[in-house]
Amino acid sequence: MRAVTYDRYGPPDVLHVAEVADPVPAAGEVLVRIEAASLNPLDWKLREGHLRFAPPVKAPPRGTGTDLAGTIVAVGGGPGPRHVGERVFGSLSPFGRAGSCAEACVVAVHRLAPVPDGVAADAAACLPIAGGTAVQALADDAQLASGQRLLVVGAAGGVGHFAVQYAKHAGARVVGVCGPDNVAFVAGLGADRVIDYRSTDVLASGETFDVIFDAANALDWRRAQRLLARGGLYLGTAGSTTSAIATGVGAVLAPWFGGTRARNVVLNGGAAAWRRLGDLAARGILAPHVERRVGLEEVAGAQAAMQTGHGRGKVVVLPQLMPRAAG
Ligand SMILES: NC(=O)c1ccc[n+]([C@@H]2O[C@H](COP(=O)([O-])OP(=O)(O)OC[C@H]3O[C@@H](n4cnc5c(N)ncnc54)[C@H](OP(=O)(O)O)[C@@H]3O)[C@@H](O)[C@H]2O)c1
């Protein structure tokens, strides 16, 4: 089978498509023929070696990509909760060597949920990390309630666009922050107001918020203080060590400075989380925006583009999509 792999940490051009042996599932695992994968910033951060000192992360050679949707073609170790022919979606452990940008991969059963009827494979593949983080942040961490005021920073990105959709469903008043090219897109997601960070300083917006979800980690809790109502919550997504530490410090200090709170959102994924996302997608509450569909040969270019930090919605990888002929 074909898989996008890399043999050393480095820039996007370390990625190449290789012919590798079909993996064999062990007990508690299944082999999934992948119909669609989706990209996340985690993929390029792993490839660049940002997590190389985290002991559980396997060093290259390894595959790239975690999120996937497809069909089970083999079950390891006898009968289990999943069966051959079932359509599933989920996310691989980022610690292992397997990657979802491949024609097939082995996945632990507890990392998969059924694709609901009416949800396409490419939409399901967009959900796990980005949708999971947005819904966990707003539903669980913030317990966002109808009528609350929410600021979403990075509202056009993979995480942010799901956050705007979920927050509108929850009945919040949503202000989205994005760059000039994405203003119409974020308004189209249902945001009540959109702030273009290039032309308007969000800190001077004149509004206060019950919750700030800084999906892009662009604001930082200290600067966000002045936008938070008393008791308000700042949520960052720990996009870098610096931002994770800054929000961690905020978690300790924020209550003493203005009676606010701060927290890093760390996705707690798995079958139960994916089932909730599948249900939200089946009901049309989460509608993944696929900005671009690429084949395996285009993954390196797509990761390079994502690395600029200005993605809109999601990029989907279709392993069966062949490169376009030149000319
Ligand atoms: N902790 C966790 O469990 C977890 C889970 C998922 C993601 N994350 C992290 O969350 C971050 C976002 O992930 P993603 O999938 O949404 O990435 P993405 O799809 O690449 O989106 C990034 C977004 O950031 C926006 N942005 C860049 N600079 C900005 C600024 N100064 N102000 C406001 N927005 C700005 C971009 O919008 P414009 O193009 O409009 O500038 C872009 O839409 C990444 O660092 C990722 O690693 C963490």
Side-chain angles (χ1 to χ4, degrees), residues 39-42 45 129-130 133 153-160 177-182 197-198 215-218 236-240 265-267 306 309-314:
L39 301 186
N40 290 287
L42 173 65
K45 291 174 186 176
I129 289 188
T133 304
V153 183
V159 174
V177 181
C178 61
D181 296 342
N182 286 322
Y197 62 76
R198 289 235 190 273
N217 303 289
T237 59
S240 66
V265 179
V266 178
L267 175 61
M306 173 169 263
H310 296 289
R312 176 190 296 166
K314 296 291 294 175

Side-chain angles (χ1 to χ4, degrees), residues 71-98:
T71 305
I72 295 175
V73 291
V75 176
R82 306 259 77 95
H83 58 267
V84 170
E86 197 177 2
R87 292 178 70 232
V88 287
F89 76 107
S91 196
L92 293 167
S93 164
F95 303 140
R97 289 213 157 85

